[in-house]
Amino acid sequence: MGEQLSFKVLGPLAVTAGDVNVPLGGARQRTILALLLLTPGRVVPVDTMVDTVWNSNPPPTARTQVAICVAALRKIFKGAGVSEDVIVTAHPGYVLNTEGHLIDSLRFAELVQAAEQHAKDGELPDAAHAYARALDLWRGPAFAGVSGQAVEDEAGRLEEHRLNAYDDSILVHLELGQHQELIPGLAAMVREHPLRERTRHHLMLAQYRSGRRADAMETYRDAHSQFIDELGIEPGPDLKELHDAILRDDPSLAPAPVVVERRPAAASGPAGGGPALAVPSELPPDVPAFTGRIEELAALQSLVAGAGEGNTSTIGLITGAAGIGKSGLAMRWAFRAAEHFPDGQLFADLRGYDEHHEPVSAHDVLSRFLRSLGVPGEQIPDDLEERVALYRSVLTDRSVLIVLDNARAYAQVRPLLPGGGRCCVLVTSRDQMEELVTWPSQARVHLGLLSEPEAVELLTAIVGERRIAAAPEDVARLVELCDRLPLALRIAGARLASKPHWTAKYLVNRLTDERRRLDELSQGESQIRASLALSYKYLSEDAARLLRRLGLLDVPDFTAWVGAALLNKEVLDAELLIEDLVDAQFLEVVSVDATGQLRYRLHSLVRLYARECARKEESEPDRTAAVNRFLRTLLTIAEEADRRESASAGTGVHSAVQRRRIDSDLLEELLAAPLEWYETERLALVASVRQAARLGLADLAWDLTVSASYFFGTRSYTDDYRRCSEEALEAARANGDLRGQGAMLFALGCIELVHNQMDESFTYLAESVRLYEEAGEDHGRAVALRSLGQTARARDQLDEAMGYFTEALRILREVGDVHTECHTLHNIAETELVAGRPDAALSYALESVRLAEGLGADTRNLAQALYRLGMVHLALDELADAEKEFLRAVRIVKEKSDGIGLAFTLLGLGEARLRQGNAQQAETTLADALEVAEECHSPLVAGRVRLVLAEVSRSQGRTEEACDHLRRAKDMLTEVGALIWVRRAEEALADLVG
């Protein structure tokens, strides 16, 4: 990824690459970078950036200016040696990708957390060192020099964290007896923050312990005066109590020596000759090569403090999927926490998920626990309730850590919970155990997958640093093939460690074959397949069927309607079964998407296991029918989304495949914002097209692609559109489906047309016309003829283009396709313009706009018609009319997030403003157009924008700058074969240089 960046916000905003400062741009760029740094890895909407930069009073071009600032930041980071984009476009805004980079505020939080942990563990020197490192990161007020309410709020929050960390560090130094050394810094901090009572409390205590009793009294009197004068209140009770304690020289103020707690000897039995109670130490060995889980360990640490309060025991629950590392985390924390439970540690594996043994009964566990606690065997009752009562009596007033591993359900755990005392119970389970929610003092930890660095660290600990470091790309791939699942990683690591002649690449090759992956990871005592099977056998029949069928799909994630389609059930019924799979740790809840639906995901190893089960337990017709129902439901929703968003929906060619009905209320919920539904389902849609093609369901594959074509084009998802079109085309060819072939060749021709590959576009479109004619598909042929005319015009074949347009127009009027008729009319207008006949173009452009407006919505087609009308007005020197039409078009394409459309309309708007004599306004508009064109990777538009920018520069007397624009425009336009525009660049350049 190139150079590592270090983002510094704890002071003036700064970025460094290594030891070199990376120069940032102006105030807007710094504000936008600051907003991205507030929530790294999460989307910051463009609207939020606009509101912050312009204080909720943005100019009309604000969103474009934000895009320009983002592009400038990207360029800065590229110039600093970072090969990958640090700022990534993600609807509806941008994300700061900090993987591999550093942020000092996050490092500060990590160090403070480590310091707090050291302090809790009694490791005071380590705590002091960690606090010092954290506070040394500060270079001044956070985000100094950056304005904006959101940034200023975050700066205030960070400052409060700094002050709290400072006070916490002072407390550690006081406990270490470093009183005199603290006084100068504390005095300065009190002067800076006179109303912070905790800091003043520390200063008074340090002064007193250093023999400066009078100074401590003066510090209090000063506080009393300031609080009365500024707040109208007296200091709080802590300061008052310290003041009174100092006056009477309370012995409790003396520094306490650091004491290492010793485990007490076994307690004596009760009076009357009861059993002498033992101090058990039953924890199994700690898990070797344990990595990560810092946040989870910190969350469990609250159990230690809770167990020491009152007479209430604490309980912790660790949940997660099979092989996720629940037992490893429990053991790691238990060993850390053991010293806080001087009366012993009990451990039981309840075997809730053991294929070779029945779950262990509470009756048997209690017998062993009571013996471990010193109760003679003959005194242990047979009755379960009596055993529970004795167990709880023995634990009263004792501090014992009880670890219950692999619990199947709450019923296994309930009898083993203490009734009181200062005990702590830690349970691991795949079950959520909702019954524990009401427990008064608890900690619940749900384990997810390891991060990639943690997974690599685990492999390194098992295999050795030399072998892992030698092949970073292969190791990264190995980590993903193992799903970043600790059990799978340990199995893979053990295989590599036991076979020194194997490379990481060799094991990757073995795991890449999905048919063998579970076999490769199910060897020896640890087996992925067996681990999953233990949970699978406890599922209900319907939940198991749903899991199997979910495994048949290639989608990366899904919502509840998918389960309903697979089972042919109502959505509410499917949701209940999906929640069963979530509870059983087979499914993971990914997010709530833009349509308000919960999205779920199967990890790849679970998917492979589910697919195996489907092949074993379900017939091929049942499997095929389930997938077919899903695809037909997806087509129903996609087609309706297209109909609601695009005026062109229904004007193209569709298959005869039977749509599957979907509940109208659910459809309304999903499609409140059709483009947002497409955005959330984009990856699933692409995967489904490819799966349909692979399964030979050609009609579904190409019809899904047709239904998504407007979305792909509007959001510039060219790679997705091309991939779907190519694979659906191959499936249509294999099935001899002429209409499907024609539709996909048309799609590929349009893709090449947009990217100015005119020869390729002409070939695809001409073949599409031929196949449609052979299939008797007149409507499809007319739409393809329209696009063929666009290609011919771009190739400077104006007569041929007019012929294609005229024939298309005749057929479109016969079949009543007003949308494509409108599109064809404004293409004829553009062709007349290129031919130098603006008067002839005007009537076509006006008719096109009239038809588009008659369709009743602000569509992309209307924006294109307005753009063409604006260009005609430009050619006729009707500049005010041109500007008006371009502004209408700009509004529409912005609402549709149509990047290419925005670049074109801004180009026209800039040219209109230039010709009206507004050179400065024109230059700003054209700069926006150039930025958008470059973001959309459109050299045609960018080249045309530079032609007009050259005119602006020339009008301002900046001749060299104008020449540079023209040379770069010529290169861009030559690259895409736009010969007409290349000639214009050459002529302008020749005229300029003489």
Side-chain angles (χ1 to χ4, degrees):
M1 65 176 293
E3 192 67 54
Q4 181 186 60
L5 296 177
S6 178
F7 296 93
K8 300 178 180 181
V9 304
L10 304 180
L13 180 61
V15 182
T16 59
D19 296 326
V20 179
N21 284 326
V22 177
L24 299 176
R28 291 176 185 171
Q29 289 182 27
R30 300 173 73 84
T31 300
I32 287 171
L33 178 58
L35 286 170
L36 291 166
L37 284 164
L38 297 188
T39 54
R42 294 172 59 186
V43 176
V44 179
V46 172
D47 289 342
T48 300
M49 296 179 173
V50 168
D51 288 343
T52 303
V53 171
W54 284 277
N55 195 21
S56 300
N57 188 27
T61 61
R63 294 175 68 87
T64 303
Q65 292 186 48
V66 166
I68 292 171
C69 289
V70 169
L73 288 169
R74 287 170 172 165
K75 187 175 181 180
I76 288 170
F77 297 147
K78 293 281 186 184
V82 181
S83 57
E84 298 179 356
D85 279 343
V86 178
I87 303 177
V88 180
T89 302
H91 185 74
Y94 301 91
V95 174
L96 187 70
N97 177 16
T98 58
E99 185 172 351
H101 304 294
L102 304 175
I103 302 178
D104 60 356
S105 59
L106 298 183
R107 181 59 179 153
F108 170 78
E110 292 170 357
L111 287 168
V112 169
Q113 186 180 56
E116 291 170 348
Q117 185 63 53
H118 286 309
K120 287 178 182 178
D121 293 342
E123 301 163 348
L124 298 182
D126 291 336
H129 179 63
Y131 276 126
R133 291 174 63 197
L135 293 168
D136 284 344
L137 293 171
W138 285 78
R139 300 167 291 110
F143 291 104
V146 180
S147 61
Q149 189 62 50
V151 179
E152 291 166 8
D153 290 346
E154 177 64 4
R157 187 187 71 83
L158 287 170
E159 176 64 8
E160 188 62 29
H161 282 307
R162 180 183 78 86
L163 294 174
N164 288 337
Y166 175 82
D167 285 333
D168 290 341
S169 73
I170 293 299
L171 187 60
V172 170
H173 286 289
L174 285 170
E175 291 183 21
L176 288 170
Q178 299 166 349
H179 321 300
Q180 292 183 341
E181 301 94 321
L182 294 173
I183 292 174
L186 275 169
M189 185 64 79
V190 167
R191 287 193 296 272
E192 186 178 352
H193 301 278
L195 301 181
R196 273 189 80 83
E197 292 192 45
R198 191 177 177 209
T199 308
R200 194 178 287 269
H201 187 286
H202 290 332
L203 176 58
M204 289 173 61
L205 185 57
Q207 289 169 328
Y208 175 79
R209 288 182 176 178
S210 300
R212 297 165 58 175
R213 189 168 180 266
D215 289 343
M217 292 292 95
E218 180 60 31
T219 299
Y220 178 80
R221 285 192 294 273
D222 181 61
H224 188 275
S225 175
Q226 286 190 311
F227 274 58
I228 292 293
D229 291 343
E230 296 187 31
L231 302 178
I233 60 174
E234 293 189 348
D238 288 348
L239 277 183
K240 286 183 178 180
E241 289 174 9
L242 179 59
H243 170 265
D244 295 341
I246 290 173
L247 281 177
R248 64 176 183 269
D249 286 321
D250 194 319
S252 67
L253 298 181
V258 179
V259 177
V260 177
E261 183 176 311
R262 295 182 179 178
R263 188 183 303 278
S268 301
L277 299 181
V279 180
S281 182
E282 296 183 352
L283 296 179
D286 195 5
V287 176
F290 183 90
T291 59
R293 308 304 193 193
I294 303 301
E295 293 182 4
E296 291 85 353
L297 286 167
L300 291 173
Q301 196 60 23
S302 64
L303 297 172
V304 172
E309 297 176 358
N311 195 39
T312 302
S313 296
T314 59
I315 189 163
L317 176 64
I318 303 173
T319 60
I324 204 70
K326 301 182 294 295
S327 299
L329 175 63
M331 290 306 101
R332 175 52 54 100
W333 179 82
F335 272 98
R336 286 188 176 186
E339 64 179 338
H340 297 284
F341 299 94
D343 297 320
Q345 303 91 45
L346 297 170
F347 174 85
D349 183 352
L350 301 183
R351 295 177 180 171
Y353 302 90
D354 190 323
E355 64 176 331
H356 302 297
H357 304 89
E358 290 296 318
V360 178
S361 69
H363 190 275
D364 292 342
V365 174
L366 285 169
S367 175
R368 184 167 62 77
F369 277 4
L370 287 168
R371 285 180 167 84
S372 297
L373 291 167
V375 178
E378 64 273 12
Q379 295 184 19
I380 297 175
D382 289 332
D383 181 75
L384 176 61
E385 290 188 6
E386 292 181 5
R387 284 190 181 186
V388 171
L390 178 60
Y391 170 69
R392 290 173 177 166
S393 297
V394 169
L395 290 178
T396 300
D397 297 326
R398 291 171 64 81
S399 180
V400 177
L401 173 61
I402 304 159
V403 180
L404 304 176
D405 199 19
N406 292 313
R408 178 74 186 89
Y410 178 69
Q412 267 190 299
V413 172
R414 186 179 60 79
L416 305 176
L417 301 179
R422 292 167 287 111
C423 298
C424 172
V425 181
L426 183 59
V427 182
T428 74
S429 178
R430 302 179 195 180
D431 187 81
Q432 293 295 329
M433 295 196 184
E434 295 178 359
E435 297 90 341
L436 293 178
V437 170
T438 58
W439 194 270
S441 183
Q442 61 172 298
R444 299 175 74 90
V445 170
H446 181 74
L447 290 186
L449 302 176
L450 294 174
S451 67
E452 183 176 333
E454 290 171 339
V456 172
E457 183 182 349
L458 176 55
L459 284 175
T460 302
I462 297 171
V463 181
E465 185 171 357
R466 181 182 60 80
R467 291 175 69 190
I468 295 301
E473 292 183 2
D474 295 327
V475 170
R477 177 62 178 150
L478 178 59
V479 160
E480 291 308 310
L481 288 171
C482 291
D483 259 353
R484 290 181 279 122
L485 187 71
L487 177 59
L489 289 164
R490 289 182 181 278
I491 294 170
R495 300 202 73 192
L496 284 175
S498 65
K499 297 182 181 295
H501 54 286
W502 279 19
T503 63
K505 183 177 182 62
Y506 179 77
L507 184 53
V508 164
N509 290 338
R510 294 176 69 99
L511 294 179
T512 299
D513 185 347
E514 290 189 350
R515 295 168 300 178
R516 295 172 49 90
R517 192 178 308 163
L518 286 177
D519 293 331
E520 294 289 338
L521 295 175
S522 297
Q523 301 192 15
E525 293 186 3
S526 298
Q527 297 197 5
I528 291 292
R529 185 183 284 108
S531 182
L532 294 170
L534 291 173
S535 291
Y536 178 72
K537 75 176 184 178
Y538 288 106
L539 293 176
S540 68
E541 182 178 345
D542 282 344
R545 182 180 297 109
L546 176 57
L547 177 65
R548 294 193 298 268
R549 292 181 178 179
L550 286 170
L552 297 173
L553 303 183
D554 290 347
V555 297
D557 50 42
F558 59 92
T559 58
W561 69 260
V562 174
L566 289 171
L567 295 177
N568 207 18
K569 289 179 176 286
E570 296 297 322
V571 172
L572 290 177
D573 295 330
E575 283 179 340
L576 294 175
L577 295 173
I578 287 172
E579 286 302 319
D580 288 344
L581 294 179
V582 171
D583 292 342
Q585 310 299 329
F586 280 113
L587 290 182
E588 176 186 30
V589 180
V590 181
S591 64
V592 178
D593 65 24
T595 68
Q597 307 293 307
L598 283 172
R599 299 198 72 79
Y600 305 91
R601 175 172 60 200
L602 282 170
H603 292 302
S604 63
L605 293 176
V606 175
R607 186 190 308 278
L608 292 177
Y609 177 75
R611 194 167 291 178
E612 276 189 2
C613 292
R615 287 170 180 157
K616 291 177 183 176
E617 301 176 39
E618 300 205 27
S619 67
E620 184 174 350
D622 285 346
R623 299 197 305 267
T624 302
V627 174
N628 194 280
R629 278 195 305 274
F630 157 71
L631 292 171
R632 288 190 293 111
T633 310
L634 178 60
L635 178 58
T636 299
I637 303 171
E639 195 169 45
E640 178 63 16
D642 188 39
R643 185 190 66 78
R644 296 186 182 199
E645 185 61 39
S646 167
S648 64
T651 64
V653 176
H654 288 278
S655 72
V657 68
Q658 183 180 0
R659 276 60 173 163
R660 184 171 180 271
R661 188 193 68 81
I662 188 168
D663 180 75
S664 59
D665 290 338
L666 175 62
L667 202 58
E668 290 300 321
E669 188 177 348
L670 292 174
L671 301 183
L675 283 180
E676 294 309 310
W677 178 82
Y678 267 118
E679 194 71 54
T680 60
E681 296 288 358
R682 177 175 67 88
L683 297 179
L685 184 70
V686 173
S688 297
V689 169
R690 302 182 71 183
Q691 183 171 15
R694 191 179 66 252
L695 294 175
L697 304 173
D699 47 1
L700 281 163
W702 69 259
D703 209 345
L704 281 169
T705 304
V706 168
S707 297
S709 60
Y710 175 81
F711 164 71
F712 286 144
T714 299
R715 294 290 171 87
S716 298
Y717 287 126
T718 305
D719 290 341
D720 291 339
Y721 194 11
R722 189 191 307 277
R723 187 179 304 115
C724 290
S725 300
E726 289 175 344
E727 298 203 22
L729 174 62
E730 290 305 311
R733 282 173 173 164
N735 283 17
D737 184 343
L738 296 180
R739 295 173 73 252
Q741 293 176 60
M744 293 301 92
L745 286 164
F746 168 74
L748 290 168
C750 290
I751 292 169
E752 300 299 348
L753 176 61
V754 169
H755 288 80
N756 307 292
Q757 303 300 315
M758 298 307 166
D759 292 341
E760 292 85 348
S761 176
F762 191 90
T763 301
Y764 282 130
L765 291 169
E767 180 65 6
S768 173
V769 169
R770 186 190 68 78
L771 287 169
Y772 276 144
E773 188 169 13
E774 184 178 343
E777 174 56 59
D778 287 341
H779 190 183
R781 184 166 69 91
V783 175
L785 282 168
R786 180 276 320 269
S787 295
L788 198 58
Q790 293 175 274
T791 304
R793 183 182 62 227
R795 299 168 82 191
D796 205 16
Q797 299 167 342
L798 301 185
D799 291 341
E800 291 89 336
M802 288 297 288
Y804 294 134
F805 289 139
T806 302
E807 175 66 6
L809 201 60
R810 181 188 64 78
I811 301 172
L812 292 167
R813 285 170 173 166
E814 286 179 0
V815 299
D817 182 354
V818 179
H819 172 87
T820 313
E821 178 187 353
C822 165
H823 196 274
T824 306
L825 284 168
H826 64 68
N827 269 286
I828 293 175
E830 182 171 353
T831 307
E832 294 286 16
L833 274 181
V834 174
R837 299 187 292 266
D839 290 322
L842 182 60
S843 60
Y844 290 111
L846 288 169
E847 178 65 6
S848 175
V849 170
R850 186 190 67 78
L851 288 178
E853 289 175 334
L855 292 171
D858 287 345
T859 63
R860 193 183 186 204
N861 199 11
L862 174 57
Q864 291 172 341
L866 291 168
Y867 167 77
R868 268 29 178 275
L869 180 56
M871 294 301 292
V872 172
H873 284 310
L874 267 184
L876 294 172
D877 211 28
E878 298 165 353
L879 304 179
D881 289 336
E883 183 172 12
K884 182 186 73 172
E885 306 303 345
F886 287 135
L887 284 171
R888 287 182 66 194
V890 165
R891 179 184 61 79
I892 295 172
V893 293
K894 279 187 174 180
E895 289 176 356
K896 302 298 182 185
S897 299
D898 181 356
I900 290 292
L902 180 59
F904 269 116
T905 51
L906 287 173
L907 166 59
L909 183 61
E911 189 169 358
R913 287 171 171 171
L914 173 62
R915 290 176 54 183
Q916 291 180 83
N918 300 326
Q920 186 172 357
Q921 190 181 20
E923 188 164 21
T924 300
T925 303
L926 292 165
D928 291 348
L930 181 60
E931 183 64 33
V932 175
E934 289 178 342
E935 275 206 345
C936 294
H937 307 290
S938 176
L940 172 65
V941 189
R944 290 182 56 182
V945 172
R946 286 193 180 276
L947 289 178
V948 187
L949 279 170
E951 293 183 42
V952 176
S953 299
R954 183 174 185 176
S955 71
Q956 301 293 306
R958 305 195 301 265
T959 305
E960 187 54 43
E961 185 178 288
C963 288
D964 180 61
H965 278 308
L966 290 170
R967 293 189 188 100
R968 296 175 72 177
K970 178 185 174 184
D971 291 342
M972 291 176 176
L973 297 165
T974 301
E975 176 188 339
V976 296
L979 303 180
I980 296 174
W981 299 105
V982 171
R983 284 199 298 272
R984 293 191 185 183
E986 291 172 340
E987 290 166 0
L989 193 58
D991 182 53
L992 195 61
V993 300

